[in-house]
Structure formats: C-alpha cells, structure tokens
Amino acid sequence: MLWRLYKAEKMKLRRSPVWLIFIVVPIVPAFLGTMNYLMNIEILQSEWYSLWTQHTLFTSYFFLPILLGFYCSYLMRIEKNNHNLTKLMTLPISRKQLFLAKLLSAGKIILLSQAWIGVLFIISGKITGMQAKPPVGELVIWCLFGTLGAFVIEAMQLIISLFCDSFALPVGISFAGGFTGLLAMAKGGYGHLYPYSLMAYGMVANNNKQQLTAEGYPQFVFICILYLILFTAAGAMIMERKEV
C-alpha cells in the first residue's frame, strides 16, 4: 500500500514544474559561496573543505529550508484544493502510510537536490582553480547525511502545512527554522538536537573541525530516526483526528 500511495504522489506531481526550483535555486548559494570563498581565500586555507563551508553556509541554513517549506506546503496544498484530503480521509488507508508517502515524495526531491549541490560544488572548485582532487567520498557522506537531516525538517513542515491554510506561512516558518538552526549550531552542543539544525549538521556546514571526523554520526543517525518516528506518528494522528 505504501508503494501505491507513493506512486500516486508521483502521478500528482508529474506535470508540476515545482521540481524545477530545486535545480535552479541551488545555483544561487553555490555562486554566493564561491564568491565568498574567493574574497576570503587568504584566511580559508583548506581549499575544498573551506569551499564546502562557504557553500553550505548559504545552502543549508537559508535556501534549502525555504525550498523544503515551499515543497511541503505545495504537497499539502494540492490535497486541500477541491477537498482532496477530505476525500482521502474517507478511504480505508493507513494515515501513517499516507504521511510516509508524502515524506518519501519530498525526500526524493531533496536527495536529487543534494546530488546537484555536490555537482555544483565540484564545478565551483574547478572554476576557482583547485589542483587537488575533490573529496568525493566525503562529499557523498555529507550529502547523504544532509538528506537524512532534511527528512526531519520535511516531516515537521508537512505537519505544519497540515495546520496552516496559508501557503506562505509554512515557508516563512521553515525560513525562520533555518535561521534559528544557525543559532543553535553556533551554540555548539545544541546543533545535533534541534530539528532545523540537523540538515546543516549532517552536511558539516561551516564547521572545519567537524568535517575532519565522523565521531558524531552514530548519535546523529539515532536522533534523526527518533525524530522521524515521532513526527510520522504525530502526522498520522493529526490526519486521523483533524477535520480537513
């Protein structure tokens, strides 16, 4: 049933142009991050690692949270139009599976976006004239863990979008979450606990020391899975009880 629901989500979005923003928008933080790296190249001495901190500073705290908020709001909007969600609630389907299908649909987009962000990073490094080989193995790990952290944000945003009739409000909340995620990471010990910091934490955003070690990853994975279980259960419960 979950796979059938996921396929239904794909059919709903097949002709939607919304996925184009996940191709176009990441180019902007890649450009900003590269320019910031070039303007501070005297103090950013770690080449590829330093460039990654500049890319992810803009991507994981500002641009991707906005995109995630936009996409999750869009997923719920197409259901609320013409009372589609109300009709879905009358069908004998698991609310948990319905929520998971939407989460997986959003997750597919963010996974493709992370791959595109990695490609842009390598292209940017070549443009800046880096001679060393790009850290492809580490890049894959950063993008995968960033995707896992993004799943948590998506789950939160889907719940928020269930409550909000406004399309823009969940996007604004996601942007605020990204900004407060930056503050939580700046506090040191709270970045791996705050949901909106988890994507940046997984991508080792703007943190040279963390880029050189994977000691925190087991704890990171556990926290992400715990949040996903809690948010999925909460989302299913809200769908079950809330009048939509």
Side-chain angles (χ1 to χ4, degrees):
M1 179 59 73
L2 177 58
W3 178 245
R4 291 173 62 185
L5 289 170
Y6 173 70
K7 288 176 66 176
E9 292 296 324
K10 289 176 62 178
M11 290 179 64
K12 294 174 190 175
L13 299 169
R14 183 170 295 170
R15 296 183 179 181
S16 171
V18 70
W19 59 271
L20 287 173
I21 66 173
F22 284 85
I23 295 177
V24 176
V25 173
I27 296 174
V28 179
F31 173 78
L32 294 175
T34 302
M35 291 299 100
N36 203 46
Y37 169 76
L38 290 174
M39 287 187 295
N40 297 277
I41 199 168
E42 295 83 4
I43 58 175
L44 298 173
Q45 299 293 320
S46 299
E47 292 196 342
W48 287 104
Y49 296 97
S50 294
L51 179 63
W52 180 250
T53 64
Q54 302 310 300
H55 275 219
T56 52
L57 174 63
F58 293 100
T59 300
S60 58
Y61 292 119
F62 302 106
F63 286 89
L64 272 186
I66 293 174
L67 291 182
L68 292 176
F70 178 88
Y71 192 68
C72 291
S73 185
Y74 181 82
L75 283 176
M76 288 301 178
R77 175 59 54 182
I78 61 177
E79 298 296 0
K80 291 181 179 179
N81 288 343
N82 301 317
H83 304 287
N84 288 339
L85 193 56
T86 302
K87 297 174 184 176
L88 277 174
M89 295 300 98
T90 64
L91 298 176
I93 57 178
S94 166
R95 303 298 186 262
K96 185 180 296 184
Q97 290 184 347
L98 179 58
F99 187 86
L100 281 173
K102 293 191 174 296
L103 184 61
L104 290 174
S105 178
K108 176 184 176 182
I109 292 293
I110 193 61
L111 181 60
L112 294 175
S113 295
Q114 288 281 7
W116 177 228
I117 288 168
V119 170
L120 290 172
F121 168 65
I122 293 175
I123 292 174
S124 300
K126 295 299 182 181
I127 290 175
T128 60
M130 292 186 185
Q131 300 300 316
K133 291 182 179 180
V136 176
E138 289 171 290
L139 178 61
V140 171
I141 292 173
W142 299 335
C143 291
L144 287 176
F145 279 108
T147 300
L148 180 59
F151 264 95
V152 176
I153 298 176
E154 289 167 352
M156 283 197 67
Q157 287 299 132
L158 286 173
I159 292 174
I160 291 169
S161 296
L162 269 174
F163 281 109
C164 297
D165 292 329
S166 167
F167 181 88
L169 182 58
V171 181
I173 292 173
S174 190
F175 171 74
F179 181 74
T180 54
L182 175 61
L183 298 179
M185 287 288 284
K187 291 294 184 180
Y190 303 102
H192 67 292
L193 298 176
Y194 184 56
Y196 283 98
S197 294
L198 292 175
M199 179 171 60
Y201 190 85
M203 295 174 73
V204 292
N206 198 35
N207 190 335
N208 278 321
K209 291 183 179 179
Q210 188 183 338
Q211 286 178 344
L212 302 177
T213 179
E215 292 177 358
Y217 282 139
Q219 184 184 38
F220 169 80
V221 172
F222 173 78
I223 291 172
C224 286
I225 293 175
L226 180 61
Y227 271 132
L228 287 172
I229 292 172
L230 292 174
F231 291 155
T232 299
M237 185 181 300
I238 292 167
M239 282 185 169
E240 188 73 43
R241 299 183 179 182
K242 180 175 168 51
E243 294 183 4
V244 292

